[in-house]
Amino acid sequence: CPPVTPLVSPQAFPLPSLPRRQPTVLVVCGPAQNGAIGLVCARHLRSFVPAPPCRPPRVFWGEFFRPRDTWGHLGTPLSPPQVQLINDAYNAVVDAVLGAEVAEGPEPCAAILATLKHIRIPIVSLDVPSGWSAEAGGSGGISPEVLVSLAAPKECARRFGGRHHFVAGRFLPHEVQRKFGINVPPYPGTECVVAL
Amino acid sequence: ERCRCLPRRAMHVPSAASGPTGLRFLGQEEAQAIDQELFTEYKFSVDQLMELAGLSCATAIAKAYPPSSFTTSQPTVLVVCGPGNNGGDGLVCARHLKMFGYQPTVYYPKRPSKPLFEGLTTQCQKMDIPFLPEFPAEAAFIDELYGLVVDAIFGFSFKGAVREPFGSILSTLERVTVPIASIDIPSGWDVEKGKADGLQPDMLISLTAPKKAAMHFTGRYHFLGGRFVPPTLQEKYALNLPAYPSTDCVLQLS
């Protein structure tokens, strides 16, 4: 699980640009690897929060698992978040519910995704917009404003219509990139994120 | 002229937003206690922290010694890895240096037979990072072939006498004229008191927080890396770490 991957989210929305008086982010984590990456992302976002009035991110993981590596004060399980609550309390949502391997997850994934379809604040999806089939893409699914493709964009990213598309996860050996014909643009300097 | 007043200078670095009492330099036992707490209380795995530490080292090196600054025809780097976790940090660093466009070569004479180190070695090998079968016999050979040496031999757990082959290696490195970047502690130094007649690296990358030995560092570049200490742990040990810039994983202290 790449520890360097989730550093992109703050780049898409630098904290000073977030309009709320106490800017913060909700990270929604699903049951498998995508959710675990969300947890790592939340931890790094926490360390990027400079000082009040910015608040640390909140993590929602439902009933899937009790992660053991979170910092105690980071997240407490919320009851399934309601649309208005999310719109009012947060500036952005990080969607780490489902990854490329599955288009549906165990409940309450469907309920969560139904909620996320209706929120007005921006969504940042990790790897694939949750619920989109990795190949076909989604119609009627969630519409993230930012997509962070991990290692390389997935097929469904062709249908992404949001504002920013990044590739993150600067760890693929050159041999692997060649073998699979992965042509990600060069990462600038020592950055682990590149904008497409 | 190198400034020898590091403690005062560290507390007045203009780019650092240090607390009212300034940056702390840790003793050996304190450093070990913080490490233990990260594993036992915060449930980090060694792999996680080693990856972040090694990445910090590669990033700091890239900032201080960009490939364009090398006088060798290619940006070649010799990474000397010791028998423990500092060596592991070196292997991670070598891999990221390769991703950043450098040409690292590793010397790794004593390899623990544990999956973590075997994995890190394999990752380097599969990225075409050569492993030298023996250490260059003379300092002049190193100066000829490499633009930079990364010292990843001993870290903050080092105590007592230096065992071979590292004694000979350090003697050679002490005569090298190309810059040396030490990971966490200049190898061979006492973690708290330093070593006046020992290795004199040009760069030190302190991980987590600087140790007391760093007060004796007289090189040009002192970076802080290992941006993973939870705020509650920082408070508990009153680390007074200056703020890292933005999302950077390193902070230049001097």
Side-chain angles (χ1 to χ4, degrees), chain A residues 30 33 35 42 52 55 67 71-72 86 106 112 139 148 158 166 168 173 180 189 195:
Chain A
Q33 172 139 340
R55 285 182 294 133
W71 305 345
I86 298 176
I112 289 169
S139 52
V148 184
R158 292 182 200 279
F166 295 95
F180 291 92

Side-chain angles (χ1 to χ4, degrees), chain A residues 1 3-4 7 10-11 40 43-44 46-49 68-73 169-175 177-178 187 189-192, chain B residues 41-44 47-48 51-52 55 58-59 62-63 95-96 98-101 123 126-128 227-232 246-249:
Chain A
C1 186
V4 301
L7 300 180
Q11 287 204 342
V40 177
R43 174 164 42 85
H44 285 283
R46 172 66 180 92
S47 78
F48 296 156
V49 170
R68 281 162 300 191
D69 72 329
T70 54
W71 305 345
H73 60 283
R170 186 177 183 174
F171 51 77
L172 284 185
H174 299 305
E175 198 186 292
Q177 294 184 46
R178 261 197 316 270
Y187 285 88
T190 56
E191 299 289 315
C192 59
Chain B
E41 302 293 319
Y42 290 84
K43 307 296 187 195
F44 282 101
D47 303 50
Q48 282 181 288
E51 189 70 22
L52 290 170
L55 176 63
T59 305
K63 284 186 190 289
R95 174 163 39 83
H96 286 285
K98 184 80 194 237
M99 300 293 298
F100 294 160
Q123 289 149 30
K126 292 191 84 77
M127 285 183 58
D128 298 321
R227 186 178 182 174
F228 46 65
V229 188
T232 43
S246 167
T247 58
D248 289 5
C249 64

Side-chain angles (χ1 to χ4, degrees), chain A:
Chain A
C1 186
V4 301
T5 293
L7 300 180
V8 67
S9 302
Q11 287 204 342
F13 294 106
L15 275 166
S17 78
L18 297 180
R20 224 160 285 286
R21 265 185 304 144
Q22 289 186 311
T24 190
V25 166
L26 176 68
V27 185
V28 187
C29 299
Q33 172 139 340
N34 206 255
I37 295 174
L39 291 176
V40 177
C41 178
R43 174 164 42 85
H44 285 283
L45 284 175
R46 172 66 180 92
S47 78
F48 296 156
V49 170
C54 300
R55 285 182 294 133
R58 297 286 288 175
V59 178
F60 170 63
W61 62 75
E63 297 143 19
F64 304 130
F65 50 21
R66 295 283 176 262
R68 281 162 300 191
D69 72 329
T70 54
W71 305 345
H73 60 283
L74 228 199
T76 50
L78 306 173
S79 54
Q82 304 306 308
V83 175
Q84 204 46 49
L85 171 74
I86 298 176
N87 285 336
D88 290 344
Y90 303 98
N91 296 91
V93 169
V94 176
D95 156 36
V97 182
L98 298 173
E101 66 283 354
V102 61
E104 278 179 29
E107 278 306 327
C109 282
I112 289 169
L113 294 180
T115 301
L116 292 184
K117 268 172 60 177
H118 295 106
I119 62 174
R120 284 192 316 271
I121 58 177
I123 296 177
V124 180
S125 283
L126 301 189
D127 205 24
V128 300
S130 294
W132 289 29
S133 150
E135 255 108 66
S139 52
I142 62 171
S143 302
E145 196 161 315
V146 179
L147 177 61
V148 184
S149 292
L150 301 178
K154 311 303 172 293
E155 203 45 55
C156 66
R158 292 182 200 279
R159 291 173 212 280
F160 170 66
R163 253 201 302 160
H164 300 292
H165 186 186
F166 295 95
V167 178
R170 186 177 183 174
F171 51 77
L172 284 185
H174 299 305
E175 198 186 292
V176 171
Q177 294 184 46
R178 261 197 316 270
K179 181 172 171 182
F180 291 92
I182 292 171
N183 289 319
V184 174
Y187 285 88
T190 56
E191 299 289 315
C192 59
V193 171
V194 58
L196 291 185

